[in-house]
Amino acid sequence: FGPTTITTAIISFSTKVTLTNNETGKDETFTILGPWESDPDNGIISYMSPWGNALMDHKTGDNVVFTINEHKYNYTVKMIEVAKA
C-alpha cells in the first residue's frame, strides 16, 4: 500500500471514518489500520478485526448493521478521510 492507493470513496486501509451511532445519535471516529497498529482504546482498529471487517468497503451514507459477540451495532457512515500518519 502506498499513498496513491488510499481512497476516500470507500472505507479502506488507512482511512479515518466518522460514523453516526443510530442508537445514540452520537458520532464516533475510527481509524482503520493494520493489526500491528491496532489500539481500540484510541479508536484505531485493524482492518482484519471483526469491527474493521464489518466497516470495510462501505461508502458515505451507507447504513452498516452488524453483530459482534451478540451485540448489534447500527451505524451510518458520515465521513471518510485519509488517516493522518
Side-chain angles (χ1 to χ4, degrees):
F1 286 94
T4 55
T5 60
I6 298 170
T7 175
T8 56
I10 58 169
I11 298 173
S12 58
F13 180 81
S14 200
T15 56
K16 182 178 176 183
V17 188
T18 302
L19 305 171
T20 301
N21 184 323
N22 293 322
E23 290 165 20
T24 66
K26 293 185 175 151
D27 287 352
E28 300 176 24
T29 303
F30 301 96
T31 301
I32 314 293
L33 293 173
W36 54 92
E37 295 153 315
S38 182
D39 185 358
D41 291 341
N42 288 310
I44 299 172
I45 54 177
S46 164
Y47 69 95
M48 295 175 73
S49 70
W51 247 100
N53 201 35
L55 297 175
M56 291 293 277
D57 298 329
H58 284 282
K59 298 189 283 294
T60 302
D62 280 3
N63 191 351
V64 186
V65 178
F66 56 96
T67 303
I68 296 174
N69 298 332
E70 297 180 20
H71 186 283
K72 188 174 180 185
Y73 296 89
N74 184 339
Y75 288 101
T76 300
V77 181
K78 184 174 181 180
M79 185 168 63
I80 304 168
E81 45 195 336
V82 174
K84 308 276 189 288

